[in-house]
Amino acid sequence: MFQPVGSAEEEEEQAEEDCPELVPIEAKQREEEENSNPAAKIPVTIITGYLGAGKTTLLNYILTEQHNKRVAVILNEFGEGSAVEKSLAVSQGGELYEEWLELRNGCLCCSVKDNGLRAIENLMQKKGKFDYILLETTGLADPGAVASMFWVDAELGVDIYLDECDLGRQVALADIIIINKTDLVSEEDLNKLRTTIRVDLSNVLDLHAFDSLSGVSLQKKLQHVPATPPHLDQSIVTVTFEVPGNAKEESLNVYIQNLLWEKNVRNRDDDCMEVIRLKGLVSIKDKPQQVIVQGVHELYDLEETPVSWKDDTERTNRLVLIGRNLDKDILKQLFIATVAETEKWWTTHFKEDQVCP
Ligand SMILES: Nc1nc2c(ncn2[C@@H]2O[C@H](COP(=O)(O)OP(=O)(O)OP(=O)(O)O)[C@@H](O)[C@H]2O)c(=O)[nH]1
Ligand SMILES: [Zn+2]
């Protein structure tokens, strides 16, 4: 699970009106910067990386560190999961986010391209209010397409330059590669990975330094990178659902463990569901606080947030699952059964004796 870090999440609603949120910094410095260089170009950092690599974690870290920069954040979430992603980021990072830019459903590299542009254009109208743009792309986006977005509009080209671009296609387009989750692998594997990355980079070394490129030359450079489909893996799907009520912690663990550990949940074609990424905001019985669920492959954890549910009517569970062979109805029904403590759905869909490979 050590992957180049990056991400984009995007939000589905009100793409037109929304704007990225600005992180407050000290007023004095803000004034100085506004006065000093109103026409300064604004660096854009694209953070990308595979599902669950730690992009949002990095983003939250950047936003909470004292760097005295006012950062505008654009999230691009694959599928419908953006609302959950938003709440995760807000809960983890404190109250930094005043206003969110919500891009419409889909991924930034294809259908959302227009909205993405509009988003950036909106953002540029707020020029002077921030010094930096951070764009977290979906783990499945084609980085080349995301990067090109900044050159589609000539006007944008003059206002914004790409600062660092660490993205998935794969290591090729990255200016900086962060190897994350090193705590989960051996020193030996880590060294192998380092060697691999270095070799790859030497083949494509002339790709970076985006800042000096025009749109045309960026496109030209991108031609040297092998073409890949807009989503690196077309078989991966995203499922989102919401189920009101509380789940017993124990039952919730059983639900998650059947999916991530036992891998004994099947879809209607009798294919095993394979969950690569799980995230959500859940309501656990007898816990006043909202709980975040984070799962990546077989690792998961439940983390209490400082936010309490206002009342019982508000209590609900929102889950996002990303993976292969996922059937939304079955996953949702199983969750409903988890909340309702009914055994029926479980016994029909879990085949203890037929564990998936
Ligand atoms: N062990 C370990 N866990 C980490 C590390 N960095 C992040 N995580 C955990 O990995 C999980 C996923 O992190 P996120 O930051 O949400 O990953 P992401 O890349 O934004 O995920 P997507 O946007 O869904 O692709 C969370 O539970 C993090 O706490 C790390 O260095 N080590
Ligand atoms: Zn994320």
Side-chain angles (χ1 to χ4, degrees):
M1 272 186 312
F2 41 102
Q3 303 276 348
V5 173
S7 108
E9 1 273 72
E10 87 186 336
E11 320 267 330
E12 301 109 79
E13 281 149 30
Q14 302 154 0
E16 296 84 18
E17 292 101 72
D18 286 339
C19 262
E21 78 182 50
L22 310 173
V23 175
I25 67 162
E26 281 149 41
K28 184 165 164 275
Q29 168 143 9
R30 184 176 309 178
E31 240 171 62
E32 271 169 22
E33 289 181 15
E34 269 165 16
N35 295 340
S36 62
N37 201 355
K41 290 193 175 185
I42 293 149
V44 179
T45 294
I46 300 176
I47 305 171
T48 192
Y50 200 65
L51 297 168
K55 300 174 290 288
T56 303
T57 306
L58 174 67
L59 191 132
N60 281 326
Y61 172 73
I62 294 170
L63 290 180
T64 45
E65 276 301 286
Q66 288 307 317
H67 42 54
N68 290 327
K69 291 210 188 302
R70 295 159 300 159
V71 182
V73 175
I74 303 175
L75 288 185
N76 170 232
E77 176 71 13
F78 185 73
E80 315 164 65
S82 54
V84 171
E85 184 79 20
K86 173 180 157 180
S87 24
L88 297 188
V90 171
S91 305
Q92 289 171 353
E95 298 304 311
L96 287 173
Y97 304 97
E98 294 163 6
E99 203 183 8
W100 282 83
L101 172 66
E102 307 207 332
L103 303 172
R104 210 158 271 287
N105 187 30
C107 66
L108 193 56
C109 55
C110 40
S111 64
V112 172
K113 197 162 175 180
D114 286 351
N115 285 322
L117 262 186
R118 213 179 306 141
I120 308 273
E121 273 164 1
N122 276 344
L123 191 54
M124 293 323 289
Q125 287 166 11
K126 300 207 169 198
K127 237 182 118 178
K129 297 204 173 127
F130 57 88
D131 322 300
Y132 218 97
I133 300 173
L134 280 182
L135 172 64
E136 179 181 351
T137 70
T138 163
L140 298 172
D142 174 355
V146 176
S148 318
M149 193 180 83
F150 289 94
W151 276 268
V152 175
D153 187 319
E155 202 181 316
L156 286 176
V158 300
D159 280 345
I160 299 174
Y161 69 95
L162 262 192
D163 182 61
E164 286 140 27
C165 177
D166 36 342
L167 307 161
R169 192 167 132 192
Q170 284 289 350
V171 172
L173 287 172
D175 284 336
I176 290 182
I177 296 158
I178 297 172
I179 303 174
N180 196 38
K181 301 199 170 181
T182 53
D183 52 319
L184 300 175
V185 295
S186 68
E187 191 63 30
E188 194 193 340
D189 286 345
L190 188 58
N191 284 331
K192 265 190 217 150
L193 179 73
R194 286 195 182 110
T195 314
T196 314
I197 289 172
R198 278 200 193 108
V199 171
D200 285 348
L201 262 188
S202 64
N203 294 333
V204 287
L205 212 56
D206 66 324
L207 274 173
H208 57 102
F210 281 116
D211 50 351
S212 61
L213 299 176
S214 69
V216 176
S217 59
L218 175 71
Q219 289 297 353
K220 220 169 137 194
K221 293 217 170 192
L222 290 176
Q223 283 167 13
H224 298 299
V225 180
T228 46
H231 303 136
L232 297 180
D233 188 339
Q234 305 272 6
S235 67
I236 296 180
V237 295
T238 302
V239 163
T240 315
F241 59 82
E242 180 162 353
V243 174
N246 299 308
K248 268 195 199 155
E249 185 160 351
E250 194 188 307
S251 311
L252 182 66
N253 279 317
V254 172
Y255 178 87
I256 296 170
Q257 288 167 16
N258 274 310
L259 286 167
L260 303 189
W261 296 1
E262 308 302 331
K263 300 182 174 56
N264 55 7
V265 189
R266 289 167 186 262
N267 69 13
R268 279 171 222 286
D269 298 328
D270 214 31
D271 297 318
C272 293
M273 297 195 203
E274 184 195 338
V275 178
I276 298 168
R277 185 78 172 99
L278 162 73
K279 48 191 165 183
L281 203 62
V282 293
S283 165
I284 294 181
K285 219 177 203 130
D286 303 324
K287 268 201 208 305
Q289 294 103 327
Q290 302 184 354
V291 172
I292 284 175
V293 184
Q294 284 276 15
V296 182
H297 292 288
E298 300 191 350
L299 290 180
Y300 79 95
D301 84 337
L302 303 176
E303 191 192 330
E304 275 180 28
T305 71
V307 182
S308 293
W309 298 105
K310 278 193 216 82
D311 54 56
D312 278 359
T313 57
E314 199 203 36
R315 281 180 172 263
T316 192
N317 304 272
R318 280 149 77 196
L319 286 195
V320 184
L321 298 118
I322 305 175
R324 296 189 179 85
N325 302 323
L326 303 185
D327 182 310
K328 177 173 173 167
D329 284 344
I330 293 174
L331 289 164
K332 185 172 176 176
Q333 286 308 321
L334 286 171
F335 200 90
I336 291 171
T338 302
V339 170
E341 305 280 324
T342 49
E343 298 279 317
K344 195 177 118 255
W345 263 87
W346 293 81
T347 42
T348 25
H349 284 279
F350 293 153
K351 300 183 179 167
E352 304 287 347
D353 49 333
Q354 291 177 34
V355 173
C356 294

